[in-house]
Amino acid sequence: ADVEIAPGRSAVAMDKSGDGDEEGRERGLAIHRFLQLLTDGVKYDPAFVRQQVCIELNLDEKNRAPAEWQTEAERLVKHPTFHNWFDATYYENAFNEIPVYYYSGNQLVHGVVDRLVVTADSCFLIDYKTHHNATVEKLETLASPYHEQLRLYKEGIKRLWPDNIVRAFLLFTACASAYEWQDKAQDRV
């Protein structure tokens, strides 16, 4: 059986996150798409970006939520803490929505990394988490269900860039905070 990486996209994980409702799903899809458009290297007019996301996701552009979600995404891209991930002067390459496929034993492991930033000696894999209720105080608890997801992503990226240090992060959009996953088993080796 294949191993699909992405517990955050399953109904069970969404219910655990508190975002299992339709608005939570829409919020997640919209913020992911806003971040993709804002970081693909093209300078789009903000009104065009909002209109594009609303068309793609069949959202009412007059609704206040898409504008709020766009503002949340823009705040992350401009946030000084994350300039190494979103400002092209700080990295060699960056990829949005990069598919990862590899075999672990007889199992095909596959998923999609939200953002991968590559420098001369490091890879930063960033998985966006759009929990509307995320706070800095709750990061450890919110991150806990995603440790296996990050481990599998990290293993796949390490196969592509074996000489680079690979660091895995969850970027919680609501509170503009990142959680770095540390592989405790690897640290003990």
Side-chain angles (χ1 to χ4, degrees):
D2 292 356
V3 176
E4 182 176 359
I5 310 169
R9 296 180 189 188
S10 73
V12 172
M14 288 182 81
D15 286 343
K16 287 180 183 174
S17 74
D19 286 343
D21 60 6
E22 183 64 21
E23 184 179 341
R25 190 184 69 74
E26 283 182 347
R27 171 186 162 75
L29 292 171
I31 291 173
H32 275 77
R33 185 63 177 132
F34 280 125
L35 286 165
Q36 185 178 15
L37 288 169
L38 292 169
T39 60
D40 71 359
V42 177
K43 298 288 184 199
Y44 296 110
D45 175 70
F48 169 80
V49 171
R50 184 174 316 116
Q51 181 182 35
Q52 183 66 29
V53 171
C54 287
I55 289 169
E56 290 177 13
L57 301 178
N58 197 28
L59 301 174
D60 181 359
E61 200 173 345
K62 293 179 177 94
N63 186 323
R64 191 175 74 234
E68 291 172 358
W69 300 334
Q70 180 176 6
T71 300
E72 188 172 315
E74 289 171 344
R75 182 186 68 188
L76 289 172
V77 171
K78 295 174 185 172
H79 199 291
T81 302
F82 308 122
H83 67 269
N84 289 348
W85 296 346
F86 297 118
D87 181 342
T89 60
Y90 291 94
Y91 54 78
E92 292 178 4
N93 287 299
F95 307 94
N96 289 319
E97 301 296 319
I98 182 170
V100 175
Y101 294 90
Y102 65 93
Y103 278 93
S104 180
N106 293 348
Q107 290 188 307
L108 174 64
V109 179
H110 58 94
V112 177
V113 173
D114 292 332
R115 184 155 177 89
L116 179 67
V117 175
V118 181
T119 66
D121 61 357
S122 298
C123 294
F124 301 90
L125 74 87
I126 300 119
D127 193 66
Y128 305 135
K129 296 300 175 200
T130 59
H131 303 67
H132 65 80
N133 60 348
T135 63
V136 173
E137 297 77 26
K138 295 197 279 183
L139 288 189
E140 187 92 23
T141 301
L142 291 171
S144 181
Y146 302 102
H147 289 180
E148 181 65 3
Q149 176 185 8
L150 292 176
R151 185 190 71 74
L152 292 168
Y153 281 152
K154 189 173 178 178
E155 183 179 331
I157 298 304
K158 191 68 178 164
R159 290 173 183 221
L160 295 170
W161 283 273
D163 297 329
N164 285 22
I165 296 167
V166 179
R167 296 174 64 189
F169 294 87
L170 297 174
L171 179 53
F172 289 91
T173 64
C175 62
S177 297
Y179 172 89
E180 183 173 10
W181 175 72
Q182 301 288 330
D183 186 349
K184 304 300 182 198
Q186 185 178 352
D187 292 344
R188 287 191 293 264
V189 174

